[in-house]
Amino acid sequence: MINKILRENCNHCLKNVYMGQPLFECSRCNCIAHSKCFSQSKAQIINDNFYCFSCKDKIVHKYNPFKHFIDDTTSPEAHDETYKISSILDKCQAYSANEINSSHGENLKKFSSSYFLNIDGNKSNFDSLLTELHRINQNFTVIGLSETNIGPDESTVYSIPNYNSFYQNTVGNKSKGTGVALYVQDRLSSIVNELASDVTENLESLFVTSRKNSEEVTFGVIYRPPSGNFASFLTELSRILQILPKRSAYIMGDFNVNLHANSKEVNNLEEIMFSAGFSPLISTHTHEKPGCNQTCIDNIYTNDINKVVASGTVSDRISHHLPVFHIFEDLAVTNSEPQVKHTQYYDYSESNVRLLVSSLNQDFSEHPPRNFNEFHDTFKTNLDKSCKLSKPKV
């Protein structure tokens, strides 16, 4: 008779729930339901907690697999790095530009930082990127982009003051959904790590080594095209990770693996990254498209977690992807002027510029551009004819 003592009604089927029956309880509103009703009730497990249908959309889904390795009875010192990673992921959140200025302005001024965005085409969104970056009071040390849809030959059109730009070649047969780039502050001496930089149908990567005095840091950007072979992507990624330094390496990218899903792809990516000593810094959603679920597919990884100060996403979106950022203690701000390696693709001599202006005037008079893309294409064609070098100069 004790098992027949009524406790409450099931939130889904509305039938009685008796003592001893398997049930789950919503961690937000404390309603209960039969365990057998879990699937039909459309409840969800988020951040290792149960949430009913009414509450699940009010919870911020966070990725944090490291909580499982922490024993509550053990002191934080016993799991120093694991606690640090878990804490960074728990504190990761979305910020507006104003919130970044108020919450992280001093740290951005004092420490170094990275910013990554799947820009979904430079031609469409680069001006918006510059506008959003201008709203943040401090400059990021390095900016990574994916899906630029342009290669090195067009990169001079997309400059950012006080930064050196590095563009990877695009996949040959694609005009969209390809291209990665890095912008590194020109106060740093930076060169491309050719061994870790590659372009295939499964993975596009670009890595640079940046130096300031005796300090050396590796920055990288990765894009995994969803049309590529995932197993081949993992193999190529593993090769790159083995090349990188064992400390002070930071990898930004769109991996097109939703870390909020319980999937084989997530497990495989975790195995590759964790075994190489790289930890994720972003836990909240980074992609949101009308009619689709929010996903966490963009991230920043590092093999030097103890130098990380903070991480987050930027809620002021430029594309369907949210920018992600992190602040770290490497490469403190300096006023020194190191030697920087530049690559020159164009000759802007007076005669070449006059030829460019003349040809632009003629083309614009005969065929006035109807939109920005037509203006860009006409300008780029004439720029190449008038000023492009047959062989880049270093």
Side-chain angles (χ1 to χ4, degrees):
M1 293 297 295
I2 295 178
N3 288 338
K4 288 293 183 180
I5 297 175
L6 178 65
R7 179 181 174 185
E8 205 172 329
N9 290 335
C10 173
N11 190 53
H12 174 67
C13 69
L14 304 181
K15 295 180 180 179
N16 296 336
V17 176
Y18 295 102
M19 294 293 293
Q21 285 186 309
L23 58 85
F24 68 90
E25 181 177 2
C26 176
S27 296
R28 185 172 184 270
C29 70
N30 298 322
C31 71
I32 64 171
H34 295 112
S35 295
K36 63 182 181 181
C37 294
F38 180 81
S39 298
Q40 293 181 344
S41 70
K42 297 183 179 180
Q44 191 173 351
I45 300 175
I46 302 175
N47 307 331
D48 296 327
N49 294 314
F50 288 102
Y51 293 97
C52 68
F53 177 77
S54 300
C55 293
K56 66 178 184 179
D57 291 334
K58 301 178 177 68
I59 304 301
V60 176
H61 197 160
K62 290 192 175 185
Y63 168 73
N64 188 354
F66 298 91
K67 280 188 172 181
H68 302 293
F69 302 107
I70 298 175
D71 186 349
D72 292 335
T73 64
T74 308
S75 64
E77 291 77 12
H79 301 284
D80 187 41
E81 284 202 358
T82 307
Y83 269 98
K84 181 65 181 287
I85 301 168
S86 183
S87 176
I88 289 291
L89 292 174
D90 278 346
K91 293 177 181 177
C92 177
Q93 65 180 74
Y95 299 87
S96 66
N98 290 335
E99 289 170 338
I100 290 177
N101 291 332
S102 60
S103 299
H104 297 294
E106 286 301 314
N107 282 335
L108 284 171
K109 186 177 181 179
K110 181 179 179 182
F111 300 115
S112 297
S113 54
S114 71
Y115 174 104
F116 169 77
L117 170 67
N118 180 321
I119 195 169
D120 195 21
N122 277 24
K123 293 181 182 180
S124 303
N125 295 318
F126 195 80
D127 287 342
S128 297
L129 169 65
L130 295 181
T131 300
E132 292 304 319
L133 288 174
H134 186 70
R135 296 178 59 206
I136 298 173
N137 294 338
Q138 302 296 327
N139 292 333
F140 292 94
T141 308
V142 58
I143 298 168
L145 302 176
S146 70
E147 288 201 67
T148 61
N149 297 335
I150 67 164
D153 57 337
E154 297 181 85
S155 63
T156 54
V157 180
Y158 302 100
S159 62
I160 302 179
N162 304 316
Y163 285 85
N164 292 318
S165 65
F166 303 84
Y167 272 74
Q168 179 62 281
N169 295 318
T170 55
V171 176
N173 60 348
K174 297 177 71 174
S175 60
K176 186 174 174 62
T178 182
V180 292
L182 288 168
Y183 289 80
V184 185
Q185 284 186 0
D186 57 14
R187 67 181 178 87
L188 302 175
S189 176
S190 303
I191 58 173
V192 174
N193 183 333
E194 300 288 353
L195 292 176
S197 302
D198 199 7
V199 179
T200 72
E201 294 181 350
N202 309 304
L203 183 152
E204 301 177 34
S205 66
L206 176 63
F207 284 81
V208 301
T209 300
S210 297
R211 295 182 178 89
K212 188 211 71 173
N213 300 328
S214 60
E215 291 186 84
E216 185 174 290
V217 174
T218 298
F219 299 116
V221 59
I222 279 179
Y223 175 63
R224 185 185 82 82
S227 59
N229 181 279
F230 188 71
S232 297
F233 159 75
L234 293 176
T235 300
E236 295 170 20
L237 176 61
S238 180
R239 181 194 69 82
I240 292 174
L241 296 179
Q242 297 306 313
I243 294 172
L244 298 179
K246 300 305 179 184
R247 281 285 180 263
S248 296
Y250 303 92
I251 306 174
M252 304 168 278
D254 176 359
F255 295 82
N256 272 307
V257 176
N258 180 20
L259 297 182
H260 288 171
N262 183 16
S263 67
K264 182 179 178 181
E265 287 77 12
V266 172
N267 294 335
N268 290 339
L269 180 61
E270 287 178 343
E271 182 178 353
I272 292 290
M273 299 302 292
F274 296 171
S275 62
F278 282 85
S279 305
L281 305 180
I282 304 299
S283 61
T284 58
H285 82 274
T286 64
H287 184 265
E288 185 176 6
K289 197 173 183 179
C292 299
N293 293 328
Q294 296 176 342
T295 56
C296 180
I297 60 177
D298 309 274
N299 222 301
I300 303 172
Y301 287 84
T302 183
N303 58 5
D304 217 342
I305 191 67
N306 287 323
K307 292 182 179 178
V308 176
V309 177
S311 67
T313 64
V314 186
S315 57
D316 307 310
R317 292 189 302 164
I318 298 168
S319 64
H320 291 307
H321 294 256
L322 277 68
V324 298
F325 72 93
H326 100 287
I327 303 169
F328 58 101
E329 295 177 354
D330 274 319
L331 301 174
V333 175
T334 179
N335 294 321
S336 62
E337 296 293 337
Q339 295 294 318
V340 180
K341 183 178 179 181
H342 298 276
T343 303
Q344 182 181 349
Y345 294 93
Y346 293 86
D347 176 11
Y348 297 110
S349 62
E350 183 178 352
S351 58
N352 285 352
V353 172
R354 284 182 177 177
L355 179 61
L356 172 62
V357 172
S358 175
S359 59
L360 284 174
N361 285 336
Q362 181 176 346
D363 277 3
F364 286 155
S365 298
E366 296 176 357
H367 307 286
R370 293 169 295 180
N371 51 52
F372 177 77
N373 285 343
E374 289 188 1
F375 168 83
H376 174 276
D377 293 342
T378 302
F379 182 89
K380 182 64 174 57
T381 299
N382 284 279
L383 179 65
D384 287 348
K385 289 181 179 178
S386 305
C387 304
K388 188 174 183 179
L389 295 169
S390 57
K391 185 177 180 179
K393 294 180 180 180
V394 178

Short mmCIF file of all heavy atoms in Angstrom, two decimals, residues 4 15 17 20 40 111 115 155 188 190 198 213-214 238 259 265 347 361 374 394:
data_model
loop_
_atom_site.label_atom_id
_atom_site.label_comp_id
_atom_site.label_asym_id
_atom_site.label_seq_id
_atom_site.Cartn_x
_atom_site.Cartn_y
_atom_site.Cartn_z
N LYS A 4 1.35 2.98 -3.26
CA LYS A 4 0.18 3.64 -3.84
C LYS A 4 -0.04 5.04 -3.30
O LYS A 4 -1.02 5.69 -3.63
CB LYS A 4 -1.07 2.78 -3.58
CG LYS A 4 -1.13 1.51 -4.40
CD LYS A 4 -1.29 1.82 -5.88
CE LYS A 4 -1.42 0.56 -6.71
NZ LYS A 4 -1.58 0.86 -8.14
N LYS A 15 -1.48 11.61 -15.44
CA LYS A 15 -1.86 10.51 -14.54
C LYS A 15 -1.07 10.60 -13.24
O LYS A 15 -0.08 11.31 -13.15
CB LYS A 15 -1.61 9.16 -15.23
CG LYS A 15 -2.49 8.92 -16.46
CD LYS A 15 -2.18 7.56 -17.08
CE LYS A 15 -3.06 7.33 -18.31
NZ LYS A 15 -2.75 6.02 -18.95
N VAL A 17 1.41 9.96 -10.25
CA VAL A 17 2.76 9.44 -10.06
C VAL A 17 2.85 8.93 -8.63
O VAL A 17 2.63 9.70 -7.68
CB VAL A 17 3.82 10.54 -10.30
CG1 VAL A 17 5.22 10.00 -10.01
CG2 VAL A 17 3.74 11.07 -11.73
N GLY A 20 7.96 5.30 -5.75
CA GLY A 20 8.64 4.13 -6.29
C GLY A 20 8.62 4.04 -7.79
O GLY A 20 9.37 3.26 -8.38
N GLN A 40 7.96 11.43 -25.28
CA GLN A 40 6.72 12.03 -25.78
C GLN A 40 6.50 13.43 -25.23
O GLN A 40 5.88 14.27 -25.89
CB GLN A 40 5.54 11.13 -25.42
CG GLN A 40 5.55 9.79 -26.13
CD GLN A 40 4.34 8.94 -25.75
OE1 GLN A 40 3.66 9.22 -24.77
NE2 GLN A 40 4.09 7.89 -26.54
N PHE A 111 45.82 42.44 -21.91
CA PHE A 111 46.27 41.16 -22.43
C PHE A 111 46.07 41.08 -23.94
O PHE A 111 45.65 42.04 -24.58
CB PHE A 111 45.50 40.02 -21.75
CG PHE A 111 45.68 39.96 -20.27
CD1 PHE A 111 44.60 40.18 -19.40
CD2 PHE A 111 46.91 39.68 -19.71
CE1 PHE A 111 44.76 40.12 -18.04
CE2 PHE A 111 47.08 39.62 -18.33
CZ PHE A 111 46.00 39.85 -17.50
N TYR A 115 39.76 36.78 -32.15
CA TYR A 115 38.38 36.97 -32.59
C TYR A 115 38.22 36.14 -33.86
O TYR A 115 39.04 36.24 -34.78
CB TYR A 115 38.16 38.45 -32.86
CG TYR A 115 36.83 38.86 -33.46
CD1 TYR A 115 35.84 39.46 -32.67
CD2 TYR A 115 36.57 38.73 -34.82
CE1 TYR A 115 34.64 39.90 -33.22
CE2 TYR A 115 35.36 39.15 -35.37
CZ TYR A 115 34.41 39.73 -34.58
OH TYR A 115 33.21 40.17 -35.12
N SER A 155 43.10 39.90 -51.64
CA SER A 155 43.11 40.26 -50.23
C SER A 155 43.42 41.73 -49.97
O SER A 155 43.01 42.28 -48.95
CB SER A 155 44.13 39.39 -49.47
OG SER A 155 45.44 39.62 -49.95
N LEU A 188 53.45 42.84 -34.16
CA LEU A 188 54.06 41.52 -34.04
C LEU A 188 54.74 41.14 -35.35
O LEU A 188 54.28 41.52 -36.44
CB LEU A 188 53.01 40.47 -33.70
CG LEU A 188 52.20 40.70 -32.42
CD1 LEU A 188 51.12 39.64 -32.29
CD2 LEU A 188 53.10 40.72 -31.20
N SER A 190 55.24 38.35 -37.86
CA SER A 190 54.46 37.14 -38.14
C SER A 190 54.83 36.54 -39.49
O SER A 190 54.97 37.26 -40.48
CB SER A 190 52.96 37.45 -38.12
OG SER A 190 52.56 38.00 -36.89
N ASP A 198 47.20 24.30 -45.20
CA ASP A 198 46.87 23.40 -46.31
C ASP A 198 45.46 23.68 -46.80
O ASP A 198 44.64 24.29 -46.08
CB ASP A 198 47.00 21.94 -45.86
CG ASP A 198 47.12 20.98 -47.03
OD1 ASP A 198 47.24 21.45 -48.17
OD2 ASP A 198 47.10 19.76 -46.79
N ASN A 213 59.71 40.02 -29.16
CA ASN A 213 60.92 39.78 -28.37
C ASN A 213 61.19 38.28 -28.30
O ASN A 213 61.32 37.61 -29.32
CB ASN A 213 60.78 40.40 -26.99
CG ASN A 213 60.57 41.91 -27.06
OD1 ASN A 213 61.08 42.57 -27.97
ND2 ASN A 213 59.82 42.46 -26.12
N SER A 214 61.22 37.70 -27.13
CA SER A 214 61.51 36.27 -27.00
C SER A 214 60.25 35.40 -26.99
O SER A 214 60.33 34.17 -26.98
CB SER A 214 62.30 36.01 -25.72
OG SER A 214 61.55 36.42 -24.58
N SER A 238 44.59 15.74 -37.41
CA SER A 238 45.55 15.09 -36.52
C SER A 238 46.98 15.37 -36.96
O SER A 238 47.87 15.62 -36.13
CB SER A 238 45.29 13.58 -36.47
OG SER A 238 46.20 12.94 -35.61
N LEU A 259 28.75 20.68 -31.07
CA LEU A 259 29.18 20.15 -29.78
C LEU A 259 28.01 19.98 -28.81
O LEU A 259 28.16 19.34 -27.77
CB LEU A 259 30.25 21.06 -29.17
CG LEU A 259 31.56 21.16 -29.95
CD1 LEU A 259 32.55 22.05 -29.20
CD2 LEU A 259 32.17 19.79 -30.20
N GLU A 265 30.37 12.09 -34.26
CA GLU A 265 31.29 13.12 -34.75
C GLU A 265 31.89 13.93 -33.60
O GLU A 265 33.08 14.25 -33.61
CB GLU A 265 30.56 14.05 -35.73
CG GLU A 265 30.26 13.46 -37.09
CD GLU A 265 29.08 12.51 -37.06
OE1 GLU A 265 28.35 12.50 -36.04
OE2 GLU A 265 28.90 11.76 -38.05
N ASP A 347 51.83 46.83 -57.79
CA ASP A 347 52.75 47.95 -57.95
C ASP A 347 51.92 49.22 -58.12
O ASP A 347 51.30 49.44 -59.17
CB ASP A 347 53.64 47.72 -59.17
CG ASP A 347 54.56 48.91 -59.44
OD1 ASP A 347 54.65 49.82 -58.57
OD2 ASP A 347 55.18 48.95 -60.52
N ASN A 361 37.34 54.93 -65.13
CA ASN A 361 36.43 55.96 -65.65
C ASN A 361 35.73 55.49 -66.92
O ASN A 361 34.53 55.70 -67.10
CB ASN A 361 37.21 57.24 -65.93
CG ASN A 361 37.57 57.98 -64.65
OD1 ASN A 361 36.90 57.82 -63.63
ND2 ASN A 361 38.61 58.81 -64.69
N GLU A 374 28.97 44.25 -58.63
CA GLU A 374 29.40 44.67 -59.96
C GLU A 374 30.51 45.70 -59.85
O GLU A 374 31.48 45.68 -60.62
CB GLU A 374 28.22 45.24 -60.75
CG GLU A 374 27.22 44.17 -61.18
CD GLU A 374 26.17 44.72 -62.12
OE1 GLU A 374 26.22 45.94 -62.44
OE2 GLU A 374 25.29 43.95 -62.54
N VAL A 394 58.42 39.81 -51.71
CA VAL A 394 58.43 39.68 -50.23
C VAL A 394 59.35 40.74 -49.67
O VAL A 394 60.48 40.92 -50.14
CB VAL A 394 58.92 38.28 -49.83
CG1 VAL A 394 58.97 38.18 -48.31
CG2 VAL A 394 58.01 37.22 -50.41
#
